[in-house]
Structure formats: structure tokens, C-alpha cells
Amino acid sequence: MMPMTIRPIITVPNKILKQVSKPVDKVTDETRALMDDMLETMYAALGIGLAAIQIGVPLNIIVMDLAREDEEPMPQYFINPEILEMEDEHKPYEEGCLSVPEVFEDVDRSVRVNLKYLDYHGKEVTEWAEGLYAVCIQHEMDHLKGILFIDYLSRLKRNRAVKKVQKAEKLNTVNA
Ligand code: NI
């Protein structure tokens, strides 16, 4: 087994997060090592989803684990995910993001999406996602386009969110 590394997570307002990620040409051991690091980083930060751009890698890669605390881990890996179809019905869900720590706001998302992606082994998968899975994959796929969940909020709420993150980071620096 390859040793896994916890990588620093980029937070707002870092411009890297606005970058548009690129498709992965070929799923290799290097891709898998990156996904292992992403998963480790996500677990360490107590997140349920992470896009590669959040650790500064502009590739269309997402990791996710929606298992509850009392369940076995259920890591999921998405390479070059595409939404083929989505239901018109939308619902608000309170979202958070490891790149916008400690901020939680409602975002409207489609309740059900049909997804196509390559898995950990580069095998193509097509399936429907609903519930938290649908919310999370739409949130993470936004990251690949440089979109954050706070971009859906009013300018006032968005600015407040960014300020909150900056203030918390400043305090952490002073305490370190
Ligand atoms: Ni996020």
C-alpha cells in the first residue's frame, strides 16, 4: 500500500478555487495515489466530499464518503464525472464546504441526477444519485467548474462568509 499524505486544503478567497479543472486522460496509479491522498485529507478534515482543486490539483476528480458515523467507511471515487440528466424538482439543503469552513447555508439542488463517471479502477459507471448523494455530487462537480456553494448566496451573505473564514484563519495564525 502506498503511504497516504494529508494535503493542505485551500480556502476562500484563494483564486485557485475559481479555476476550471480539466478531464483526466488516463486513470493510472498516479491518479489513484492522488485519490488516496484526497480521501485521507477529507477524512482528517471530517468532510464528506472533496474535489481535487481543493488541494490545488485542477483535475476532474472527486472523492466522497457518505457513510454515517456508526457505519463502515464507504469511499467513492469519481473521475471525469458528467451529469447526463437531472430532475426538475429542486430542494434546499444546508451545505457546508471544507474550503469555506464553519459556514452553513441552504442551497437549492436537483433532487435526483443521472451520473456518468470513471471509478477508482477507471471503469465507467452510470447511475442515479438522490438524497444526500445527489446534493454532494452537484456541490463537488461545481468545484470542478470553479463554483462554490457560497456563489449561490446573496453578495452580502457571500462576503460575510469569506470574512468569517479570513478572520478565523488570522486567529489560527496568531495562536500557532
Ligand atoms: Ni465544497
Side-chain angles (χ1 to χ4, degrees):
M1 208 172 150
M2 301 260 277
M4 290 180 264
T5 314
I6 294 171
R7 315 257 199 118
I9 295 175
I10 295 167
T11 54
V12 287
N14 194 317
K15 286 206 165 60
I16 291 173
L17 294 169
K18 306 307 287 177
Q19 236 175 284
V20 176
S21 295
K22 295 205 162 60
V24 174
D25 289 332
K26 198 165 179 270
V27 180
T28 62
D29 285 344
E30 205 185 324
T31 320
R32 280 182 280 273
L34 170 64
M35 293 192 290
D36 292 343
D37 282 0
M38 285 171 63
L39 197 74
E40 202 63 8
T41 303
M42 183 191 84
Y43 284 147
L46 305 179
I48 59 170
L50 188 79
I53 193 65
Q54 294 180 272
I55 56 164
V57 180
L59 287 172
N60 289 344
I61 300 175
I62 290 163
V63 296
M64 202 185 283
D65 191 330
L66 303 177
R68 289 191 313 264
E69 257 176 72
D70 58 335
E71 292 176 324
E72 289 293 308
M74 282 191 279
Q76 285 179 279
Y77 308 87
F78 305 86
I79 302 159
N80 300 341
E82 279 175 67
I83 289 179
L84 304 174
E85 214 179 314
M86 57 208 297
E87 223 153 85
D88 291 335
E89 191 193 343
H90 282 57
K91 259 191 192 161
Y93 190 91
E94 191 181 64
E95 297 187 17
C97 180
L98 294 177
S99 293
V100 197
E102 306 302 322
V103 173
F104 302 93
E105 294 284 353
D106 274 2
V107 177
D108 270 338
R109 305 267 188 196
S110 172
V111 296
R112 211 161 165 260
V113 297
N114 194 12
L115 272 183
K116 186 173 104 174
Y117 60 92
L118 302 176
D119 70 9
Y120 192 80
H121 304 286
K123 198 183 120 225
E124 192 179 292
V125 179
T126 305
E127 66 191 8
W128 282 92
E130 54 186 16
L132 181 58
Y133 183 11
V135 171
C136 197
I137 196 69
Q138 289 173 83
H139 173 118
E140 298 309 331
M141 284 180 71
D142 271 354
H143 275 298
L144 308 182
K145 292 176 272 176
I147 299 168
L148 298 165
F149 84 104
I150 55 169
D151 293 336
Y152 296 109
L153 309 177
S154 67
R155 181 190 294 247
L156 181 75
K157 276 192 173 177
R158 184 165 62 243
N159 289 345
R160 204 186 283 156
V162 173
K163 281 216 182 82
K164 187 176 175 183
V165 174
Q166 285 177 309
K167 201 171 157 190
E169 278 170 7
K170 216 173 183 180
L171 280 174
N172 284 339
T173 315
V174 174
N175 292 336

